[in-house]
Amino acid sequence: MPEGAELDERLARLAGSLEAEPDPGAVLDEIVAAAVDLVPGAEEASISLVVARRLVTSPHRTGELPGRVDAIQTQTGEGPVLDAAYDEQTVRVPDVRDERRWPEFARRAYDAGAGSMLSFQLYVQGDSVAALNLYNRRAGGFGEESEEVGLAFARHAAQALVGAHERGDLPLAVASRDLIGQAEGVLMERFRIDGDGAFRVLAQASRSTDRRLRDVAQELVSTGRLAVPPEA
């Protein structure tokens, strides 16, 4: 559980980034990384974009699980991200395995590794819709405090997305995710770790050096150097 001062400080830094950062993708990646650090129960996080109430993608995510779950929602046409994006502001799934609202999605998402989920609506503007999603691999991973802290992150993510949409910078946001994906690939090959582990290494380097996640990724892709070595 994050201490109040720690949460306030982290959110204040994110708010400052929203004002100064020309690349919205870097801000959104910082938000999902911080959500995993500070939202109780969050093991993975993503910002999903939904088009035409059907196609769900996660250009900003902390690992592979959110991408797998989004693919299932696209294939089945149902799930918490679609409900949060269009119909409700917050959707909590206490136990994916026993979820009855979306039976086909629930069965396949559980098989993919999701135990519980929490989704927050970010914005709705025509067919451009987005949601912040949190994942735990066990049932019962999220409580009332998870919703409270998650909403704080959702407000900052919504600011970044709306600003990016108004400036026409959403392609730049996706490009930032692609750069981080390249850096993850370098780490996966170098240290024989999976995508989740590679993102955690990048996030650790970002926190340890007080640098943007995108800058750490850029340095790794360009020079092969990582700001700090991964934890043993």
Side-chain angles (χ1 to χ4, degrees):
M1 180 176 69
E3 297 293 335
E6 179 187 6
L7 178 61
D8 290 344
E9 179 182 356
R10 192 65 169 270
L11 290 176
R13 289 177 59 190
L14 288 172
S17 297
L18 292 176
E19 296 296 328
E21 175 56 66
D23 179 357
V27 176
L28 297 173
D29 283 318
E30 292 288 351
I31 288 171
V32 295
V36 170
D37 278 349
L38 296 178
V39 177
E43 295 179 341
E44 298 286 352
S46 70
I47 292 174
S48 294
L49 304 179
V50 187
V51 178
R53 291 181 177 263
R54 182 68 183 181
L55 177 62
V56 188
T57 62
S58 293
H60 305 279
R61 61 185 185 273
T62 59
E64 298 172 357
L65 177 60
R68 293 196 297 266
V69 172
D70 278 355
I72 293 167
Q73 291 187 96
T74 294
Q75 293 159 10
T76 62
E78 62 181 24
V81 173
L82 290 169
D83 278 11
Y86 287 100
D87 303 319
E88 303 179 43
Q89 289 193 340
T90 302
V91 177
R92 192 198 305 183
V93 184
D95 188 343
V96 171
R97 187 176 190 179
D98 290 336
E99 180 56 57
R100 298 292 181 261
R101 286 171 287 185
W102 323 283
E104 177 66 12
F105 162 80
R107 179 183 64 79
R108 294 176 59 181
Y110 176 78
D111 290 342
S116 49
M117 293 179 60
L118 190 55
S119 296
F120 303 92
Q121 182 189 92
L122 297 181
Y123 77 85
V124 180
Q125 187 168 350
D127 276 344
S128 297
V129 183
L132 171 67
N133 312 295
L134 307 175
Y135 300 83
N136 192 295
R137 291 177 177 81
R138 297 174 293 101
F142 301 107
E144 295 298 325
E145 186 178 13
S146 303
E147 287 196 27
E148 180 181 347
V149 178
L151 279 170
F153 279 95
R155 285 193 293 270
H156 287 284
Q159 285 181 265
L161 275 168
V162 169
H165 183 83
E166 291 176 348
R167 296 192 305 270
D169 287 341
L170 283 178
L172 181 60
V174 175
S176 177
R177 177 63 237 183
D178 289 344
L179 174 63
I180 290 170
Q182 293 176 45
E184 289 172 344
V186 171
L187 293 173
M188 290 167 69
E189 181 177 0
R190 182 179 299 178
F191 298 111
R192 299 292 185 257
I193 54 180
D194 62 14
D196 295 355
F199 185 88
R200 285 192 290 270
V201 170
L202 288 174
Q204 173 200 341
S206 174
R207 290 192 300 270
S208 298
T209 60
D210 198 25
R211 296 171 63 198
R212 298 178 308 172
L213 195 67
R214 188 183 191 282
D215 290 343
V216 172
Q218 180 68 71
E219 181 180 33
L220 177 61
V221 171
S222 300
T223 70
R225 294 195 300 269
L226 183 65
V228 293
E231 293 178 345

